[in-house]
Amino acid sequence: MYRNFEWPIPPFYELPEGMEFAGHEPAFIILNKGAKLQGSLSRFLPTHGVVEFLPARARTNLDVPLADIKQLRLTRPLKLNPRPLRLENQTAVPSGPPLKQPFRVEFKDGEVLEGETMGFELISAGLFLYVANYADTVLRTFIPAGVIKDRRIGKLLGEALVDAKLVSAAEISSALERQNAKRTQKLGALLGEQKIVTEVQLHAALEHQRSMPIKRIGEALIEAHAISEEQLAQALEHQKQNRKQPLGEILVELGHINRGDLQKALSQKLGVPWVDLAHFRIDPEALKMVPGQLAREHRVMPLCRDRQALVVAMENPLNPEPIERVRFVTRVPVIPVMASSEAIDRALREYFGGERTDHKIEDLVTALSTEVLDGSAGEEAIEESDSTLVRLVNKTILDAHAEGASDIHIETNRGRRNIRIRFRKDGVLHAYQELPAVFRRAIISRLKVMAGLDISERRRAQDGRINFAQFGPAQLELRVAIVPTLDGLEDVVLRLLAGGEPLPIAKLGLSDTVLEQMHALLAQPHGLILVCGPTGSGKTTTLHSLLGLLNSPDRKIWTAEDPVEISQVGMRQVQVNSRIGWTFAAAMRSFLRADPDVIMVGEMRDAETAAIAIEGSLTGHLVLSTLHTNSAPETVTRLLELGMDPFNFADSLAGVLAQRLARRLCEACRTSRLLSESEVTELATEYCANSSLEPAAVEAQWRGTYGTGLRLYQSAGCGQCRATGYRGRIGLHELMIVGPEHRALINRRAPASELRAAAGRSGMRSLKQDGIEKCLAGLTDLHEVRGASN
C-alpha cells in the first residue's frame, strides 16, 4: 500500500512498541556537492523518488531530489527487539539475531564509509544500513544506489557458507583449488554449479546476492568476456528505440550472446540464484499468493517468502513486466531467481494446471448442458446455485481480470439466440464467449445473488457491487449494472475495480512541462483543481495520483467518491449513497466542518456540489474534482452555465487538466518509418491548426527533440497483443493554468474559444498536440490520437 514512510526493519528484529514513524524523524542529509542539511524527515518514499525534508528553523518542507542525495541518516537512536527467524519444515533454524557485521561502502566520488551494522536491506532505490551505535542501539542510514560504486557487508562467501553449515570447510578448500586452476572463475560461481534445492540454501544465496556490488548487466557481461564494448554499445542503441525491452534480451536477439551464457553471467556476476525446481520444496502459502492465470501468462513460479518479499522463479529475471505484475497483484516486493524454461513449464503444469484456452470455458458449458436433459426443458432447468454455473461465472470474471479488461458485457437476445459475452480491453470491446440461451436467466440470477440484488425484479434497472474475494481467489470488486431489455430479458455490465495503489504522478504519461506545472499547482495552499474528460478517460486514476503526492501526516484529506475505487492509507474516504440522501453535496458540507486541508469530490454532478466546492476553495482549502467535459476551456463555460458566480469562480479556479486515453503501440511488433519533408510539413501544419504557433518553428523544435530524421511508428500485430497492434493505453493531456488574463475572461463570461486562445498564448498544448508529440516518441499512432482528440 502507498504509505508516507518506507524504511524496512532489519531481519531478525522488530520495532519496539511506540517507535513507529510519527511524522517527523530527526535527520540530516549529505548532498552530492558536500552540503549538509540538518532537520527532520517528513516523508520518505524512495521507490517513488519522494523525499520531503524540513530544515531546522524552516516552516515549509523541502522536496529533495533523490539524485542529489549522497547519504541520509536518521539521528534518533533506535533499540531493536530481537525476533527469532522461523522457517517452516526446517530442522536447523537460527536461534537469534546475527552479530554485528562489518560493512564498507565505496562511493563513486572515492569516499569510503565503514563501520558495523546490525543488518541491512537492499532495494532498487538504494541501501538501508542499521549502523551500530552505543548501548546496542542503531542509527538508520540510507545510501541511494546511484552514488554507490562498490559495497561489502559481512564475511567472505566461503566463511559465511561454512558458518551457516551449508557447506563444509573441505568443500570450500576443494572449490578454492578449482578456482586456482581457473582464476577467471569466481568462488561463488564454482559453488553455484550445484543448483539450489532447499529453502535454506535459497535464503543464503539471496543474502549473498544482496552483499554483492551493484552492477549493470552490461558491465557483468563484459567482465565475463561474453560480449565486447562495441556489442554493448550497439545493443544500447537498439534499446533507445524500445526502453522496456531488457538489455539481455536485445543482446540475445542480435546474436551477440546465447541465452545460456546470459543466464551464466546473471548467476556468476550478479549473484542471481539458480533453483532446481524438480527437487525444490515449494511453499504452499507462496502458491496461494499468485493466481494461476497470472503465473501461466507470465511464466513465473512462486517458491517461498524471503523476509517480506515473495521469491519467484523465472527464465529471465531481468524482464521487469512479470515482476511488476506479480508485485501489483500480491502487494509485496518480488525477488526473481532463475530456473530453466522446461522446469518452469513443468512446475506450472503440476501446480496450476495447463494454460487457459477457449475450450476450457466450453468444457464448463458442455458440463452445464449435460445437466439439462433436453434443451426444450426451458431456462428453469438450471438454477443460480448450480455448482457448474457458479464455476462458469467465476471463470468469466477471472479471465476478464487476467486479461486486463475494464468491463464485462453480458448480452441476452430474443428467442433462442445465444448469449454474447464481450470484454472491454484498452477501450475496445472484444468477443469472449457465446453461451446457449437456456443459461441466460440462471446467469443473471447468479450475478444478482452475488451483488445482493432482487432476483425476482426484471422490469427495472438495478445497480450493485460484488466483492469477488467472497466467491473466488482474486481481490477484486465489481460494479454491477443490470438493464431490462426486450421480452422481459436483461443485460448486465460489470465494471472491474481492481482497487490497487495509486500510480505515482510520474507514471501518468504527463509531459515534462505539464508535470512541472502540476507540481506547482499542488503546492498551492488553496484553490480548485479540475480533471475533465469523458467516462473511462482515467480521471479517477489521475486524481488519486495527485492525492498520493499530497498525502502526508501533516495534511487532513477527505474524499467523497462513488464508488471508492482506490484506497490510500492516511486519507479519509467516503462512499456516497444518493438513495439515503448522502450525496456529493451533503458530503462536501460535512467535510467543510471537519477541519480539512484537502478535499476531493469524485464528480461535480450538479450546481449545488460545484457551488460548495468553490466555496471550500475560497475559504482556504485545496479542492480537487472531475467534470465530464471535452476540453479544459469548455470546463469553465460548463460551470458558468450551471449558474456559478463568475467572480467567485475566477478567484477559486487554479487549473484544469483535460485528458483522453489512446491505445499504446505494442512494443513487441512496433516498427517505424522515416517521414518525408512534405509529411513533416503536413504534420506540423495539423499540429499548429487553431493556434498561434508557426509550423516552421515547430518542425525545428521536433528535430531538436527527436532527431533530424523524424519517424512515425506502427504495429502490425503479434501474439503478445492478440494481433491488434496495441497493448495498454497512454494518456493525452492539456493543462490550462488560470492566470490574470483567464480570470478577466471568466469575469465577462467569454466563450471557450477565447479561453483556448489565451491558454495557447500562455503555453498550453492541446490534446492533439500532446498526442502528436507522443506519436513522434513512438508511444501511439496518429489514428489513435485523432480519434481521441477530435
Side-chain angles (χ1 to χ4, degrees):
M1 187 57 62
Y2 196 83
R3 301 163 296 170
N4 295 318
F5 191 69
E6 294 177 352
W7 203 298
I9 303 302
F12 305 104
Y13 292 98
E14 59 188 11
L15 200 63
E17 187 175 351
M19 297 297 285
E20 294 83 4
F21 176 65
H24 290 283
E25 279 283 350
F28 67 79
I29 295 177
I30 298 177
L31 301 175
N32 287 327
K33 297 180 180 180
K36 183 175 181 180
L37 301 177
Q38 196 81 32
S40 60
L41 188 63
S42 306
R43 194 165 181 234
F44 187 57
L45 300 167
T47 56
H48 297 278
V50 176
V51 182
E52 291 186 8
F53 190 78
L54 183 64
R57 295 185 296 278
R59 294 186 178 181
T60 59
N61 286 332
L62 179 67
D63 289 326
V64 184
L66 197 62
D68 293 348
I69 296 176
K70 182 177 181 180
Q71 184 183 157
L72 187 156
R73 176 166 293 190
L74 306 185
T75 56
R76 178 176 57 142
L78 198 63
K79 190 167 186 177
L80 301 173
N81 293 333
R83 173 175 54 83
L85 175 66
R86 295 181 177 88
L87 299 176
E88 294 183 2
N89 304 319
Q90 302 295 341
T91 55
V93 179
S95 59
L99 299 176
K100 300 173 184 176
Q101 302 177 74
F103 73 86
R104 184 179 189 275
V105 177
E106 182 180 354
F107 295 90
K108 289 183 177 179
D109 63 5
E111 186 179 341
V112 173
L113 177 66
E114 294 181 296
E116 290 185 318
T117 181
M118 300 295 288
F120 68 96
E121 190 77 42
L122 181 65
I123 64 174
S124 59
L127 173 66
F128 293 90
L129 291 169
Y130 309 91
V131 180
N133 196 32
Y134 62 87
D136 293 329
T137 61
V138 297
L139 295 178
R140 290 165 286 175
T141 299
F142 173 75
I143 304 173
V147 301
I148 299 175
K149 179 181 180 182
D150 197 4
R151 60 180 169 79
R152 176 180 168 186
I153 302 174
K155 301 177 181 179
L156 294 172
L157 173 60
E159 298 172 4
L161 292 175
V162 172
D163 288 348
K165 299 181 180 179
L166 298 177
V167 297
S168 66
E171 289 174 316
I172 291 293
S173 299
S174 174
L176 287 170
E177 290 177 3
R178 293 162 64 196
Q179 186 186 42
N180 288 331
K182 30 196 303 194
R183 295 302 299 174
T184 59
Q185 195 167 10
K186 299 276 189 182
L187 174 60
L190 291 167
L191 292 171
E193 290 175 358
Q194 297 180 348
K195 296 178 183 178
I196 294 168
V197 296
T198 70
E199 191 171 322
V200 170
Q201 288 178 329
L202 182 56
H203 287 304
L206 291 172
E207 197 69 25
H208 168 60
Q209 182 189 10
R210 294 186 185 98
S211 67
M212 294 185 69
I214 298 174
K215 292 181 181 177
R216 296 182 177 180
I217 181 61
E219 299 172 8
L221 291 171
I222 289 176
E223 285 186 13
H225 305 290
I227 61 172
S228 65
E229 295 276 2
E230 293 76 13
Q231 290 171 330
L232 175 60
Q234 183 185 1
L236 290 172
E237 281 298 318
H238 278 74
Q239 195 178 43
K240 290 179 181 178
Q241 305 298 321
N242 189 352
R243 293 288 186 184
K244 288 191 175 181
Q245 187 175 12
L247 181 63
E249 292 295 319
I250 294 175
L251 288 164
V252 171
E253 288 182 5
L254 292 175
H256 296 331
I257 187 173
N258 60 48
R259 195 168 297 281
D261 290 339
L262 174 63
Q263 293 172 335
K264 185 177 180 181
L266 290 174
S267 177
Q268 295 181 4
K269 296 294 182 180
L270 300 183
V272 180
W274 182 283
V275 178
D276 182 359
L277 291 182
H279 299 93
F280 191 90
R281 186 172 183 178
I282 294 174
D283 183 357
E285 294 302 317
L287 287 173
K288 294 178 183 177
M289 297 178 67
V290 181
Q293 176 62 28
L294 175 64
R296 290 190 297 266
E297 180 182 352
H298 293 286
R299 300 184 69 249
V300 295
M301 188 65 207
L303 302 181
C304 62
R305 295 292 294 267
D306 183 71
R307 302 181 185 177
Q308 287 79 38
L310 175 66
V311 182
V312 299
M314 303 169 55
E315 183 182 5
N316 178 12
L318 294 180
N319 189 353
E321 184 178 350
I323 298 172
E324 181 60 24
R325 181 64 179 157
V326 174
R327 184 202 64 79
F328 178 79
V329 171
T330 62
R331 301 186 181 183
V332 298
V334 175
I335 300 176
V337 298
M338 283 190 297
S340 69
S341 176
E342 296 78 9
I344 291 173
D345 289 339
R346 187 166 51 248
L348 289 173
R349 287 193 299 270
E350 179 180 351
Y351 289 97
F352 293 108
E355 292 187 354
R356 182 190 76 77
T357 57
D358 288 339
H359 78 271
K360 287 204 163 186
I361 188 75
E362 291 174 356
D363 289 345
L364 289 174
V365 175
T366 301
L368 195 59
S369 298
T370 59
E371 299 175 15
V372 183
L373 298 179
D374 182 7
S376 62
E379 300 176 25
E380 292 76 12
I382 305 175
E383 297 183 358
E384 65 273 3
S385 58
D386 184 280
S387 61
T388 307
L389 177 77
V390 169
R391 289 166 53 206
L392 187 148
V393 171
N394 285 358
K395 178 166 180 57
T396 300
I397 294 172
L398 288 171
D399 285 350
H401 179 49
E403 293 183 14
S406 61
D407 301 87
I408 304 171
H409 291 249
I410 301 174
E411 301 162 345
T412 58
N413 295 294
R414 304 169 71 180
R416 310 307 300 172
R417 292 170 59 194
N418 287 344
I419 306 164
R420 183 170 65 167
I421 302 179
R422 296 189 289 172
F423 293 167
R424 186 179 297 279
K425 184 178 178 183
D426 296 338
V428 179
L429 282 170
H430 300 278
Y432 167 69
Q433 187 66 41
E434 289 196 0
L435 306 176
V438 71
F439 299 157
R440 58 193 175 194
R441 184 162 295 178
I443 287 177
I444 303 298
S445 296
R446 174 59 187 167
L447 291 168
K448 287 180 179 179
V449 169
M450 295 172 72
L453 301 176
D454 184 358
I455 64 172
S456 64
E457 179 59 68
R458 298 173 185 165
R459 297 169 300 174
R460 62 182 178 88
Q462 297 188 70
D463 297 320
R465 294 170 67 87
I466 295 174
N467 180 6
F468 190 69
Q470 299 175 0
F471 307 98
Q475 294 294 326
L476 179 66
E477 285 196 17
L478 300 100
R479 187 168 59 193
V480 183
I482 298 180
V483 183
T485 58
L486 293 175
D487 293 343
L489 300 177
E490 296 170 290
D491 279 11
V492 181
V493 178
L494 306 173
R495 167 65 58 89
L496 281 70
L497 310 173
E501 64 183 32
L503 283 175
I505 190 172
K507 293 187 177 181
L508 290 178
L510 300 170
S511 68
D512 292 342
T513 302
V514 173
L515 184 60
E516 182 180 344
Q517 291 173 332
M518 285 305 307
H519 277 285
L521 280 179
L522 295 173
Q524 298 182 20
H526 56 82
L528 178 62
I529 300 174
L530 297 175
V531 179
C532 67
T535 300
S537 60
K539 298 187 297 295
T540 299
T541 299
T542 297
L543 271 186
H544 272 278
S545 295
L546 303 181
L547 290 174
L549 203 61
L550 294 168
N551 189 8
S552 62
D554 58 346
R555 288 191 180 100
K556 183 63 173 281
I557 301 177
W558 286 99
T559 77
E561 304 170 70
D562 183 23
V564 177
E565 297 184 29
I566 300 173
S567 300
Q568 295 196 52
V569 173
M571 297 191 331
R572 314 312 301 156
Q573 296 179 260
V574 170
Q575 169 77 52
V576 301
N577 186 349
S578 57
R579 297 176 186 173
I580 61 173
W582 184 235
T583 61
F584 282 119
M588 283 286 293
R589 282 193 293 268
S590 297
F591 292 167
L592 292 176
R593 297 190 294 268
D595 189 28
D597 293 301
V598 180
I599 295 173
M600 187 272 271
V601 55
E603 183 183 344
M604 286 188 177
R605 293 181 178 174
D606 50 49
E608 184 182 12
T609 305
I612 298 172
I614 292 171
E615 177 189 342
S617 65
L618 290 173
T619 54
H621 309 100
L622 188 62
V623 180
L624 292 82
S625 188
T626 69
L627 206 65
H628 287 89
T629 52
N630 292 324
S631 67
E634 288 178 32
T635 301
V636 174
T637 57
R638 174 70 58 84
L639 286 170
L640 291 175
E641 289 169 359
L642 282 176
M644 299 302 102
D645 178 76
F647 295 95
N648 285 343
F649 180 41
D651 288 342
S652 68
L653 187 62
V656 183
L657 177 71
Q659 67 179 56
R660 297 288 191 280
L661 292 178
R663 288 187 290 175
R664 184 188 290 268
L665 291 175
C666 173
E667 296 182 357
C669 57
R670 183 182 65 181
T671 58
S672 66
R673 66 178 182 86
L674 194 64
L675 294 178
S676 66
E677 290 298 322
S678 61
E679 288 177 314
V680 173
T681 301
E682 288 177 8
L683 190 61
T685 302
E686 181 178 359
Y687 183 94
C688 296
N690 301 318
S691 74
S692 59
L693 297 175
E694 293 294 332
V698 169
E699 285 185 41
Q701 177 191 341
W702 286 350
R703 297 185 193 281
T705 304
Y706 305 107
T708 54
L710 296 175
R711 292 178 173 272
L712 284 181
Y713 296 77
Q714 62 274 330
S715 296
C718 63
Q720 294 190 32
C721 61
R722 296 177 178 266
T724 64
Y726 303 97
R727 287 187 71 190
R729 289 191 285 180
I730 187 170
L732 311 181
H733 305 92
E734 65 179 24
L735 176 62
M736 184 177 76
I737 303 293
V738 178
E741 184 179 1
H742 301 89
R743 291 191 171 90
L745 292 172
I746 295 172
N747 287 336
R748 64 178 180 84
R749 297 178 180 270
S753 58
E754 291 188 37
L755 287 167
R756 175 170 294 281
R761 289 192 294 271
S762 62
M764 184 186 84
R765 292 295 179 261
S766 69
L767 290 165
K768 177 176 279 190
Q769 289 170 339
D770 186 49
I772 289 175
E773 291 185 353
K774 284 170 179 171
C775 290
L776 294 171
L779 301 176
T780 186
D781 57 26
L782 284 174
H783 172 75
E784 283 294 305
V785 168
R786 288 166 179 160
S789 60
N790 285 337

